[in-house]
DNA sequence: GGTAAAGTAGATAGATCGTTCTATCCATGA
DNA sequence: TCATGGATAGAACGATCTATCTACTTTACC
């Protein structure tokens, strides 16, 4: 299907050059499809943007949940696995920061659907973290989940402007420290 | 001067609605000045963007350094004061995240001067933190500075999508924990 | 082999973008 | 009083934007 090819191309361009900075002409040129092909699958650019966010979230969560499953099979901490998987994601696909926050920054004042989608995405991650923390017997799981979110989002934000490997290293170190103190 | 009024208006609009999302027409309309007044003070929109970043940095650093000075006068930890001041900044002026990273997201692929400016800004904060940590006798100051940066940037990134007061509360709590462990 | 769907190229519309230009207004100080 | 210079409104430029339309070609399937 051309649909996913357009989607993949749009995701890459939006991520590298911004949403407003990437015109529809650019997307179809790089995807090598006709303009009407794009508008057949997505009724507007806003619609395409939302579809791109969904695609990105799917890939991210697939990587995260696989790491969590694997940790469970090996009897390792799922929380640590999640943090580590986020770090891996950043090194592999996160060079330009968080696509969701990027979308929020450009569309917040103009497209409520984007705001809603981004808020839901971050809540999902925070909730997931909280569940894992609770399962592993941490006290104050909600507060600790927010603290770990700070580290994850901080790393995502800094990867574009600092040395990526160093950022991820310190992400793991700091998360370890926050997890140590309160765990049994 | 009209210059600063244009600058203040542009800063607000760029921050709330994005750089590409805010046209020059919008800036001059909200500032209540003529088009040529803007172009007399700023030779292009890109130029205006860079000036807005400088203005924003000035306000941010004034607030931060004042807190550091005050902490020193009272014999308190300057590191903690810096973290706390960043939290205060977020609650007051940080509703929509980091203006610099927002600019990076929109202009990175297109205007190298913006990238350079943003990288320098983040480096400045990290270096400042490292100096304060060293002064207060923390071991591994460079690594710890990055870890605290993760928390600061994470809080900045999350304020737009989560409850702001909770985010800042956990920022302080997590920073306390990272600072406790290694301090004498 | 024929039919229906999917994709193609390209023109087009209408809006908005950043930027420049002109012509007019109004304040200040000599 | 008059000149100078900054600010004004608004027209205009070419470029670019999203979106639509038409007409033609390819693909896939019964």
């Amino acid at each position: 299907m051309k649909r996913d090819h357009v989607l993949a191309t749009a995701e890459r361009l939006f991520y590298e050059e911004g949403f407003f900075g990437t015109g529809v002409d650019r997307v179809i040129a790089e995807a090598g499809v006709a303009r009407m092909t794009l508008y057949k699958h997505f009724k507007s650019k806003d619609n395409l943007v939302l579809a791109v966010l969904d695609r990105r979230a799917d890939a991210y969560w697939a990587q995260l949940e696989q790491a969590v499953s694997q940790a469970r099979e090996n009897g390792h901490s799922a929380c640590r696995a999640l943090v580590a998987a986020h770090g891996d994601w950043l090194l592999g696909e996160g060079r330009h920061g968080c696509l969701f926050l990027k979308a929020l920054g450009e569309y917040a004042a103009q497209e409520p659907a984007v705001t809603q989608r981004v808020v839901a995405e971050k809540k999902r991650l925070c909730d997931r973290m909280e569940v894992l923390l609770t399962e592993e017997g941490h006290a104050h799981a909600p507060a600790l989940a927010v603290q770990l979110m700070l580290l994850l989002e901080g790393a995502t934000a800094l990867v574009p402007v600092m040395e990526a490997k160093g950022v991820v290293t310190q992400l793991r170190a700091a998360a370890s420290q926050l997890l140590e103190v309160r765990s049994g």
Side-chain angles (χ1 to χ4, degrees), chain A residues 89-115:
Chain A
W89 169 266
L90 291 184
L91 294 178
E93 313 283 341
R95 234 181 322 171
H96 299 99
C98 177
L99 184 67
F100 287 81
L101 294 180
K102 206 165 181 165
L104 184 68
E106 298 197 40
Y107 284 101
Q110 157 163 22
E111 185 55 62
V114 170
T115 304

Side-chain angles (χ1 to χ4, degrees), chain A residues 3 17 42 44 49 68 72 84 94 97 101-102 109 117 141 143 147 150 167 181:
Chain A
R3 192 190 128 100
E17 315 194 8
F42 310 97
S44 71
V49 168
V68 167
R72 279 178 166 151
L101 294 180
K102 206 165 181 165
R117 183 69 185 80
Q147 293 183 20
L150 295 182
V167 167
V181 179

